[in-house]
Amino acid sequence: MGIRIGVAGASGYAGGELLRLIAAHPEFELVAATAHSQAGKPVAAVHPHLTGLDLTLTETTPEVFADADLVFLALPHGESGAVAASLPAGAKVVDLGADHRLHDAAAWTRYYGGEHAGAWTYGLPELPGQRELIAGSSRVAATGCYAVATILALAPLLHSGLAEPKDVVVVAASGTSGAGKSAKLHLLGSEVMGDLSPYKVGAHQHVPEIKQATGATSLSFTPVLAPMPRGILATVTAKPTNCDITSGVVRAVLAEAYGDEPLVHVLPEGAWPHTAATLGSASAHLQATVDVDSGRIIVVSAIDNLGKGAAAQAVQCANIMFDLPETSGLSVFGVAP
């Protein structure tokens, strides 16, 4: 018998991606998958791409997860805290929601509302020292999707002293699956196709998470809804600490930060990230330059928002928590065409 895994919120997009990855994982055994309105349905009736996975969705109760070694929480923001509190003390938990990411309760209230559920170990292994913290934790808060795309691009610039922390600008486009699976008028195909639209301009909930993880002190973040199912392309710009910084210097800093990382790739000079290249993968692609006019540092980052931005990132953390090879059950490579 392998490591027994439960998934709460398995009917959503991130939950479905978790089920797909767990089903192919060499060490994980899926023992429970729960949902709310979809409880009682076979998994394949909710996720047709998982036809052949013989499992029925159930209600989310503590009893369902009694025998699980680890539970993934793929629930809407604000719902993970109560479920996590009801789980067996011996079970490890990885939360894909925002409930346990922020250390600052006031920031939680400002951007999410309601009571703060408390902070867990932040689940981004590529941050300095974070891998060791994850390995020693039983409760891990996985990253937000926009957040991981931005943090991977920005953190090495600030940690190395290459960029100013007080003047960071991010514009990031995301596929529609980032908005969840609930029916919404503005996400209808006829509304999304052929259109780009900004949303939550000037007040996106991932801002405090990015600042917390990188040390940025001032961040302007503009998310854009793009007419594609999945993927994030983030353009991160920052003011350099001196005017002598070149593109080569920026690329060298990124290469040093991620040279040994299996899931973060700094592309060859002249090659720029594409969301399609990360589709279905657990990888992030980065490229950098210095703007010839403004002198600002530019780093472009691409991920699959359901991969490195959600389910694959959570599985990566679970692998670390069980001392497994970090990429077990994950694909470094995307799917094409």
Side-chain angles (χ1 to χ4, degrees), residues 203-275:
H204 193 275
Q205 66 269 21
H206 285 175
V207 167
E209 179 183 350
I210 295 166
K211 292 172 68 176
Q212 174 181 284
T214 63
T217 58
S218 175
L219 177 69
S220 173
F221 182 81
T222 303
V224 177
L225 183 65
M228 57 187 184
R230 50 201 288 176
I232 286 178
L233 189 74
T235 301
V236 180
T237 78
K239 184 179 179 180
T241 51
N242 70 73
C243 60
D244 296 326
I245 291 173
T246 65
S247 298
V249 170
V250 178
R251 284 179 44 79
V253 166
L254 293 175
E256 182 178 0
Y258 301 124
D260 295 326
E261 293 293 344
L263 298 176
V264 182
H265 308 284
V266 180
L267 300 183
E269 188 172 3
W272 288 92
H274 295 250
T275 55

Side-chain angles (χ1 to χ4, degrees), residues 134-207:
I134 294 167
S137 297
S138 61
R139 298 288 189 272
V140 171
T143 66
C145 53
Y146 278 125
V148 67
T150 302
I151 293 165
L152 290 173
L154 179 61
L157 307 183
L158 299 184
H159 293 166
S160 66
L162 209 63
E164 297 282 357
K166 62 183 179 181
D167 185 13
V168 179
V169 178
V170 182
V171 178
S174 174
T176 56
S177 60
K181 203 173 184 180
S182 299
K184 300 180 180 73
L185 179 62
H186 72 284
L187 296 178
L188 291 173
S190 55
E191 300 290 332
V192 173
M193 289 186 295
D195 187 36
L196 289 170
S197 58
Y199 63 100
K200 295 186 179 179
V201 179
H204 193 275
Q205 66 269 21
H206 285 175
V207 167

